[in-house]
Amino acid sequence: MGKIDIPKGKLEEIYYKMLLTRLFEKKLEYFFSAGMLHGTTHLYIGEEATAIGVCCALDKDDQITSTHRGHGHCIGKGADVKLMMAEMFGKQTGYCKGKGGSMHIADLEIGNLGGNGIVGGGIPIAVGAALTTQYKELDRVVVCFFGDGATNQGSFHESLNLASIWKLPVIFICENNLYGMSIPIENHMNIKDIAQRAKSYGIPGKIVDGNNVFEVYNTVLEAKSYVKQNGPILIESKTYRISGHSKSDANVYRTKEEIEQWKKKDPIKFMKKKLLEQKIFTQEQLETIEKQAAQEIEVSVEFANNSPYPPLDAITDDVYA
């Protein structure tokens, strides 16, 4: 790996948000295992470099659509972690007033059009947002996150076709974590690289190491300029989720050896190692950032604990159908 050519302030933001994402997910993992939270959640542990690398390359006005595994996307785009935690606790102060939970967090003020409980459901939404961007001649791009399994859905193919025909400013980010729920990727598609699918729609397809945040960030920065002038691009980010598909996944379809091998490619440890090797930060400086991230998570838990539950008479508020 060559010299890191990213401003120091941006590197600090990236490192902080990757830590914040990891610590947020570890808190949720603990709360669910202790029976303190109910329902379900899909943890992002191990994939932090993709969400944060992508979102830190965006401006506030740029928009994203997220997935069922979207906590990293939210934090990357600048979400308030207190409101995220309160939503997980089902409290009135949460992003969805405690009634949406993990998969429906949105914040239009920072360009987060929301998570989605439907696999591939965010892809046509991103194309619609990009059409608005083009129609109104706005200076922004739309980033669409989805997983490898979503690329087998009709919504993926229809959306890429329309985006290509209309040359819409969309960056399609496929987070290929090698499993569609419990199905290994080689058992649900007959190609090696998902980026190949871009060729069918006449758009570029790129592959990045999804655990290398420097590569992810620089690739998306370059893609932003490209899509504004030329239309969409598909980026396949090859990564791995360390936790199971959801909080109730016992991981019986993977070996411990496989998971341990991927833990050695931990994206946060990788970034820290490179920052120290290239003497961009000292050990003490990075430890200070780590403490600040841990403190923000503790504050968010306290905020959630001290927030009220939604009142019973609000049960039908914000229900549209």
Side-chain angles (χ1 to χ4, degrees), residues 222-287:
E222 188 178 312
K224 272 185 64 176
S225 300
Y226 176 85
V227 300
K228 285 182 177 180
Q229 299 296 323
N230 304 285
I233 188 171
L234 171 62
I235 298 173
E236 177 186 1
S237 182
K238 292 184 182 288
T239 182
Y240 192 80
R241 58 169 162 78
I242 298 299
S243 301
H245 169 72
S246 65
K247 60 102 181 176
S248 54
D249 184 347
N251 263 325
V252 295
Y253 52 90
R254 306 190 291 185
T255 64
K256 290 180 181 176
E257 290 76 16
E258 177 183 305
I259 296 172
E260 289 304 314
Q261 281 300 312
W262 276 95
K263 283 183 177 177
K264 294 177 183 175
K265 301 176 185 177
D266 186 309
I268 296 177
K269 290 180 180 175
F270 173 80
M271 182 180 189
K272 183 174 183 175
K273 182 170 182 282
K274 295 301 174 187
L275 293 178
L276 291 172
E277 281 179 355
Q278 299 199 16
K279 302 185 187 307
I280 299 172
F281 290 89
T282 64
Q283 179 75 31
E284 291 72 24
Q285 287 173 325
L286 294 181
E287 287 175 357

Side-chain angles (χ1 to χ4, degrees), residues 59-90:
D59 295 318
K60 185 180 178 183
D61 290 340
D62 295 328
Q63 296 180 319
I64 66 166
T65 59
S66 184
T67 68
H68 56 283
R69 198 182 306 283
H71 304 155
H73 310 147
C74 293
I75 291 173
K77 202 62 175 71
D80 187 330
V81 176
K82 295 196 303 296
L83 274 57
M84 290 177 65
M85 192 64 81
E87 186 59 38
M88 296 303 302
F89 275 66

Side-chain angles (χ1 to χ4, degrees), residues 10 28 104 107 146 260 267 294:
K10 179 60 71 174
L28 294 190
H104 300 97
D107 189 342
F146 51 89
E260 289 304 314

